[in-house]
Amino acid sequence: MSTESLERIARNKNVARAAARQLSMEQLHKLAEVISEVIEQKQQEDIYRREEQEQKARKLAEIREAINDAGLSVDDLVGEQPRRRRGRPPKNAKT
């Protein structure tokens, strides 16, 4: 089953019912268990990702505070970036 089929089933209750008619009760219960496990795993991943983002934001705030306490700015920390040449050199250019 392709992801398009799954998305179609998830979006439309009638399509889901039609797909469910092709399965036995045992298969439907197994499918429900699998989907529950996938949902739980996805929720855990979302919680973990949110915690990582919050931790990153806290660290960033701490670093900004330390920079301000030291009397520095972000510009003091970042030197000039080397200038990049854009494009290809001319065909007649001798190197």
Side-chain angles (χ1 to χ4, degrees):
M1 186 175 281
S2 69
T3 56
E4 290 179 9
S5 299
L6 288 174
E7 289 175 8
R8 200 166 144 243
I9 289 171
R11 283 193 307 257
N12 191 323
K13 193 184 294 187
N14 291 331
V15 174
R17 284 186 182 135
R21 285 188 197 113
Q22 299 172 2
L23 301 174
S24 69
M25 285 302 293
E26 184 180 323
Q27 289 172 324
L28 285 172
H29 285 292
K30 180 66 177 171
L31 179 62
E33 289 175 17
V34 169
I35 289 175
S36 295
E37 289 175 11
V38 169
I39 289 171
E40 188 175 318
Q41 181 182 9
K42 184 85 167 172
Q43 287 173 336
Q44 291 298 322
E45 289 173 359
D46 287 347
I47 290 169
Y48 180 73
R49 190 176 330 107
R50 257 187 257 120
E51 288 174 352
E52 282 185 335
Q53 289 173 347
E54 290 171 2
Q55 187 178 19
K56 186 176 179 180
R58 281 193 300 269
K59 286 181 181 180
L60 185 60
E62 290 173 8
I63 291 171
R64 284 186 177 146
E65 185 178 338
I67 290 172
N68 288 336
D69 290 345
L72 299 172
S73 71
V74 176
D75 294 332
D76 294 332
L77 299 176
V78 179
E80 285 189 36
Q81 296 292 327
R83 294 184 183 192
R84 293 185 185 178
R85 292 186 179 182
R86 299 190 88 177
R88 300 169 91 184
K91 290 182 180 180
N92 298 336
K94 296 180 181 180
T95 52

